[in-house]
Amino acid sequence: MSRTVGATTELDASLEKHRVELTGYCYRMLGSAFEAEDAVQDTMVRAWRSYEKFEGRSSLRSWLYRIATNVCLDMLNAGNRRARPMDLTASTPLAQAALTPRADNVWLEPIPDARVLPAVSGPEEAAVAKESVRLAFIAALQQLPAKQRAVLILREVLAWKASEVAELLGTTVASVNSALQRARATLAERPADDTATSDPLDEEQRKLLDRYVKAFEGYDMAALTALLHEDAVMTMPPFDLWLRGPQDITGFMSTMGAACANSRLIPVEANGTPAFAQYKPDPDNGGFVPWAIQVIELSAGRVAGFHCFLDTERWFPLFGVPLHLDA
């Protein structure tokens, strides 16, 4: 039966209302900004085509999550598990540093907050939502089998009841509870992560970031060293190299990374934490060219990590920042 124009418009609007939260769900499942958006688009198309069969026994939102879960599980059947450089190799001493790229589908990807964090009612809810898209948490989720991943996200991030998850997955409450228990046990084996930031940032964190920007743009290695946590980590996907500790990080920046001197950092919002679009000087044409999206992690009043995603042709349009800055 064909729909009227009005009914079609109304359905499109009803589906669209759920796009951001579904993108957040698919991103947590898949670890990829672009795969998440593809999964949501596939979900919307499937929902649109089969809406006549939707009998309203569950809410439209629950039905969409069921479709999205099936889409993600199908995509994860290929076995791809995304990672950060430190999930794959040991840190490299500066003297042995080499830039070896790996394929795009290996890496955990950053995502703009606006794509995955729907408007929420209170600051506590907003803080929990941001916590659930941080790179460390998404990386931890990648260690779980796909169905355990879905159960953990639905139960602990989205606060669904066990009975609702069981209905969505077509299984029993006992099975859901068992999967949740196993998922929690796996995550508990990982090192504790304390890089959560206040929401909004508190005054100390804002001042720390201001000092970071000043030190990085001025390429002041002494000032940067003073801001870095003793166990600070620097990563640079698509390269599998990662560095630990202020000495190796600033040593790399002073040698192999020297072309980043006099860069400019433009604030963006990524993965529930502070982030910047980094531009480095363009010696050929003047001004500045894109170099990286930096996702910053803070801990105990220091910078604990900065993760530089270098595929600027993908990331800068996604984050809505220009591909050139004038001098």
Side-chain angles (χ1 to χ4, degrees):
M1 188 174 73
S2 62
R3 300 187 192 101
T4 65
V5 173
T8 296
T9 304
E10 187 177 335
L11 175 58
D12 287 344
S14 296
L15 297 176
E16 198 61 32
K17 280 194 304 186
H18 299 281
R19 181 177 291 276
V20 173
E21 65 170 312
L22 286 171
T23 305
Y25 175 61
C26 294
Y27 174 67
R28 294 177 186 102
M29 285 289 290
L30 302 169
S32 162
F34 296 103
E35 284 185 359
E37 296 204 334
D38 288 346
V40 172
Q41 194 55 38
D42 191 0
T43 297
M44 295 297 188
V45 170
R46 292 190 192 189
W48 203 90
R49 286 177 176 165
S50 60
Y51 186 70
E52 261 70 8
K53 299 175 187 173
F54 172 53
E55 298 171 351
R57 286 178 295 184
S58 62
S59 68
L60 177 64
R61 179 173 181 257
S62 297
W63 184 60
L64 287 171
Y65 269 94
R66 181 181 294 118
I67 298 171
T69 300
N70 288 331
V71 170
C72 289
L73 293 177
D74 286 347
M75 293 172 77
L76 290 167
N77 277 340
N80 186 34
R81 177 181 290 183
R82 294 194 175 248
R84 301 170 300 172
M86 53 275 212
D87 300 322
L88 300 179
T89 64
S91 61
T92 306
L94 178 60
Q96 299 169 19
L99 297 176
T100 306
R102 296 202 192 192
D104 287 340
N105 65 359
V106 169
W107 301 119
L108 196 66
E109 297 179 349
I111 198 163
D113 285 0
R115 301 275 180 133
V116 291
L117 297 176
V120 292
S121 52
E124 201 170 304
E125 200 178 341
V128 170
K130 286 191 170 187
E131 187 99 351
S132 73
V133 293
R134 289 189 303 116
L135 288 174
F137 182 68
I138 302 298
L141 289 174
Q142 298 292 300
Q143 304 305 309
L144 301 175
K147 285 196 174 176
Q148 284 184 31
R149 203 179 304 179
V151 167
L152 186 94
I153 296 166
L154 290 164
R155 291 282 284 119
E156 304 231 314
V157 176
L158 301 176
W160 284 41
K161 297 175 183 175
S163 56
E164 294 171 328
V165 178
E167 184 180 351
L168 182 145
L169 294 174
T171 187
T172 64
V173 169
S175 175
V176 166
N177 288 337
S178 175
L180 180 60
Q181 192 173 8
R182 293 197 304 276
R184 284 172 174 165
T186 300
L187 296 193
E189 293 171 1
R190 292 175 64 87
D193 176 73
D194 62 351
T195 58
T197 51
S198 303
D199 183 41
L201 295 177
D202 62 33
E203 185 177 0
E204 181 185 347
Q205 290 168 339
R206 288 197 301 272
K207 287 180 177 177
L208 174 60
L209 285 173
D210 288 343
R211 292 197 297 272
Y212 172 77
V213 170
K214 184 177 180 181
F216 194 97
E217 291 187 341
Y219 235 55
D220 183 338
M221 294 300 126
L224 194 59
T225 296
L227 299 177
L228 293 176
H229 195 283
E230 61 182 5
D231 288 325
V233 167
M234 178 183 182
T235 68
M236 293 164 285
F239 301 114
D240 60 11
L241 171 74
W242 66 281
L243 301 158
R244 185 190 292 280
Q247 187 172 349
D248 277 359
I249 290 171
T250 56
F252 178 88
M253 291 174 65
S254 304
T255 53
M256 295 176 76
C260 288
N262 302 309
S263 288
R264 293 290 176 267
L265 299 182
I266 305 298
V268 294
E269 293 184 325
N271 292 86
T273 62
F276 299 96
Q278 178 195 343
Y279 296 80
K280 68 176 187 177
D282 182 354
D284 298 324
N285 303 305
F288 300 86
V289 292
W291 183 246
I293 294 292
Q294 294 187 7
V295 180
I296 309 296
E297 295 173 333
L298 308 179
S299 175
R302 299 287 181 90
V303 174
F306 56 110
H307 306 286
C308 305
F309 295 89
L310 304 182
D311 190 351
T312 56
E313 290 185 5
R314 300 171 80 215
W315 301 126
F316 276 56
L318 183 72
F319 280 85
V321 286
L323 290 171
H324 181 83
L325 286 184
D326 293 331

